[in-house]
Amino acid sequence: MDLVRAGPRVRARVEVSPESLFGPDNLPYGVFAPRGRSHRVGVRLGEHVIDVLALLDDPVFAEPSLNAFLAQGPGRWRAVRDRIREAVEGELDSAAVHPLSEVELRLPVRIGDYVDFYASIDHATNLGRLFRPDGDPLLPNWRHLPVGYHGRAGTVVVSGTEVARPCGQRRSESGAPEFGPSRRLDIEAELGFVIGVGSRLGVPVGIDEFTDRVFGVALVNDWSARDIQAWEYQPLGPFLGKSFATSLSPWITPLAALESARIPLPEQSPAPLPYLRGNEAWGLDIDLTVAWNGQPVAHPPYARMYWSPAQMLAHLTVNGASTRPGDLYASGTISGPEPDQRGSFIELSWGGSQPIPVNGGQRTFLEDGDEVTITASAPGPRMSRIGLGEVTGRIRPAPPRRAPAAER
């Protein structure tokens, strides 16, 4: 495949700082629109977006999502990545290069299904100590399977989308239920995994099929209304306390860019059942930072995660559940053993009992107008680092409650 722009064009090399987290070893994919034009597929290079449609003669890159490209499979993913890397190392047609500040980014995939896991042993232990101070912090099944819940794909939004404070039932001080806006609105710093090649209904995905099925990773903030969640989640689990919004980074980093970040998993004891045992190590050395109104408050380490993304996918499908290109599953909150490594505010503030210093004030949960940004980076080749972009959201007030007809 050759460059397809016809006629005389200005050609130039895109200069990228050696310190950039978005050099040619990274090249995350997204969907963007140049001013006045339709959305199409691009890759990020430094502070620019490269129009893949302008480089490669394939109509899948004219689509307003990555789904068609993802469905082409790992052989095609490798070939396209090689061609893009070759192209960006030389001179590019200026029509293919757009300053990042001048484009609109959108949700990079059409998400048919969204599943969220609970894969951090430190997060699970912290919540267990908060909610069951006199018992074992980990429930009996936790070390045997990746616990998860089926989320709401229709409320996954791209980074930068404002999040309305959710309303719902919560338990009052008297113990009776009451209705109103959440008073304990929280974040969860997570890593998401994007399915490339789907699987058929009734056919489980084997644990060593992970790289044949999953295209890449993206940052996730799974917003959580802790008071609504606490009242509703027993006995069936998360529902309205989670389903109002999940924010996703506009950039999906291919697994191929994370080879230098792969590490062994922490020891799993007892050994998991055979369908959760694989031949490849899929721990990932990825460092996250959570900033609250611009101030870094936590640095969660993904390297501590107990369950791998390969194990999550194997468990997600072991009952025969199918997957489709663009489906998303996330790791659950990423936390470490130290107080400043906790990836949720319920942990950082220890259930609200230990306020967090933020810009000179003392905070526990989110207030209207607050903005949270999660960023991450990982080791790249040749002692470099690559970035996973960012996921940002600002809280706006709960919408006015519409009075029932009887009150109007």
Side-chain angles (χ1 to χ4, degrees), residues 13-30:
R13 183 182 298 275
V14 177
E15 298 296 338
V16 180
S17 166
E19 288 75 38
S20 174
L21 298 177
F22 298 96
D25 290 321
N26 189 350
L27 300 175
Y29 287 83

Side-chain angles (χ1 to χ4, degrees), residues 79-90:
V80 168
R81 180 172 170 82
D82 288 345
R83 284 292 292 114
I84 294 173
R85 292 182 72 181
E86 178 184 347
V88 301
E89 292 284 2

Side-chain angles (χ1 to χ4, degrees), residues 114-121 123-124 127 142 146-149 187-193 218 220-222 224 226 242 246 288 300-302 305-307 312 329-335 343-344 347 374:
Y114 166 53
V115 172
D116 200 25
F117 284 95
Y118 189 48
S120 164
I121 194 167
H123 175 65
L127 292 192
W142 198 91
V147 174
Y149 75 92
I187 63 118
E188 293 192 347
E190 308 189 11
L191 195 62
F193 300 88
V220 169
N221 183 350
D222 193 41
S224 301
R226 300 298 184 186
K242 293 281 194 176
T246 300
L288 286 75
Y302 192 86
M305 298 299 274
Y306 189 88
W307 295 104
M312 295 178 217
Y329 66 95
S331 63
T333 304
I334 303 164
S335 292
S344 66
E347 294 172 89
I374 302 167

Side-chain angles (χ1 to χ4, degrees), residues 66-78:
L66 284 161
N67 291 51
F69 171 53
L70 301 185
Q72 291 183 329
R76 179 66 171 148
W77 305 340
R78 288 190 295 271

Side-chain angles (χ1 to χ4, degrees), residues 41-174:
V41 174
V43 295
R44 182 169 175 180
L45 179 64
E47 296 305 307
H48 292 83
V49 180
I50 310 302
D51 185 344
V52 180
L53 183 62
L55 298 183
L56 306 179
D57 187 14
D58 190 328
V60 299
F61 301 119
E63 296 287 328
S65 79
L66 284 161
N67 291 51
F69 171 53
L70 301 185
Q72 291 183 329
R76 179 66 171 148
W77 305 340
R78 288 190 295 271
V80 168
R81 180 172 170 82
D82 288 345
R83 284 292 292 114
I84 294 173
R85 292 182 72 181
E86 178 184 347
V88 301
E89 292 284 2
E91 293 184 342
L92 295 174
D93 184 334
S94 61
V97 181
H98 303 271
L100 183 61
S101 60
E102 296 180 7
V103 303
E104 177 189 72
L105 299 173
R106 66 176 296 172
L107 204 64
V109 287
R110 293 191 312 274
I111 301 169
D113 278 298
Y114 166 53
V115 172
D116 200 25
F117 284 95
Y118 189 48
S120 164
I121 194 167
D122 297 298
H123 175 65
T125 299
N126 285 337
L127 292 192
R129 287 171 177 161
L130 279 168
F131 300 148
R132 298 181 298 276
D134 298 322
D136 189 333
L138 295 180
L139 293 174
N141 66 341
W142 198 91
R143 290 180 181 270
H144 293 276
L145 55 85
V147 174
Y149 75 92
H150 201 143
R152 187 175 178 85
T155 53
V156 179
V157 296
V158 71
S159 173
T161 305
E162 289 192 340
V163 174
R165 181 176 297 273
C167 294
Q169 287 194 31
R170 59 190 183 225
R171 185 173 182 170
S172 68
E173 292 183 4
S174 69

Side-chain angles (χ1 to χ4, degrees), residues 44 94 96 157 201 221 312 314 328 340 358 362 377:
R44 182 169 175 180
S94 61
V157 296
L201 182 65
N221 183 350
M312 295 178 217
L328 173 69
D340 68 348
V358 179
Q362 297 291 310
S377 67

